[in-house]
Amino acid sequence: MSTVLEIIPDELREEVNAALNWFNAHENASFEVTGIVDPPNAAGTGEDLRLVLCGEGVCRQETFQVSASAELSGVQWLGLDHVQDSAGVAELDPPPGARRTWLNDVAGRHAFAVLLFYRGFW
């Protein structure tokens, strides 16, 4: 079973930020990191970073490798591992903070709301 952390460990924050900045620049998007799957024990190990990225109405699990420099030029996007595709994304619960503002607004205007989360799409 995968370990999913909603709070990025301090020692990985620089690498995670570099991966996020590279991804947003590459995709011309504004995603946020809402979790990390099976995080490495330390920074600079060259291990894959499996990040849960949410934004623009979708949550995605993407995999990156960040070189020790943790600059945008040192980020390699590995995409989604197809072995994990059927197990990884579908098993992830939607992070509690990903849509909190939107949900609070909707809940304040209606008696009830129905949320559907299916394979990364809201």
Side-chain angles (χ1 to χ4, degrees):
M1 165 126 334
S2 296
T3 300
V4 181
L5 301 178
E6 295 174 17
I7 298 174
I8 305 301
D10 289 336
E11 62 272 9
L12 298 175
R13 192 157 303 190
E14 187 177 336
E15 291 181 7
V16 168
N17 287 340
L20 175 65
N21 292 336
W22 183 93
F23 185 80
N24 281 334
H26 182 266
E27 295 291 302
N28 194 23
S30 58
F31 283 85
E32 296 178 13
V33 175
T34 60
I36 185 167
V37 181
D38 295 330
N41 292 326
T45 61
E47 292 182 58
D48 294 352
L49 294 176
R50 292 173 50 200
L51 304 178
V52 180
L53 305 176
C54 292
E56 303 182 3
V58 66
C59 288
R60 301 167 56 164
Q61 180 179 308
E62 299 291 346
T63 306
F64 301 89
Q65 269 191 341
V66 180
S67 67
S69 66
E71 296 176 7
L72 291 183
S73 60
V75 175
Q76 181 180 8
W77 182 24
L78 303 177
L80 181 63
D81 184 348
H82 293 290
V83 172
Q84 301 165 3
D85 188 18
S86 61
V89 176
E91 290 180 2
L92 292 175
D93 290 331
R99 297 284 175 250
R100 183 172 291 149
T101 304
W102 176 84
L103 184 57
N104 287 341
D105 181 49
V106 169
R109 290 186 286 134
H110 304 285
F112 69 93
V114 176
L115 301 178
L116 177 63
F117 182 81
Y118 176 75
R119 298 188 59 99
F121 292 97
W122 290 83

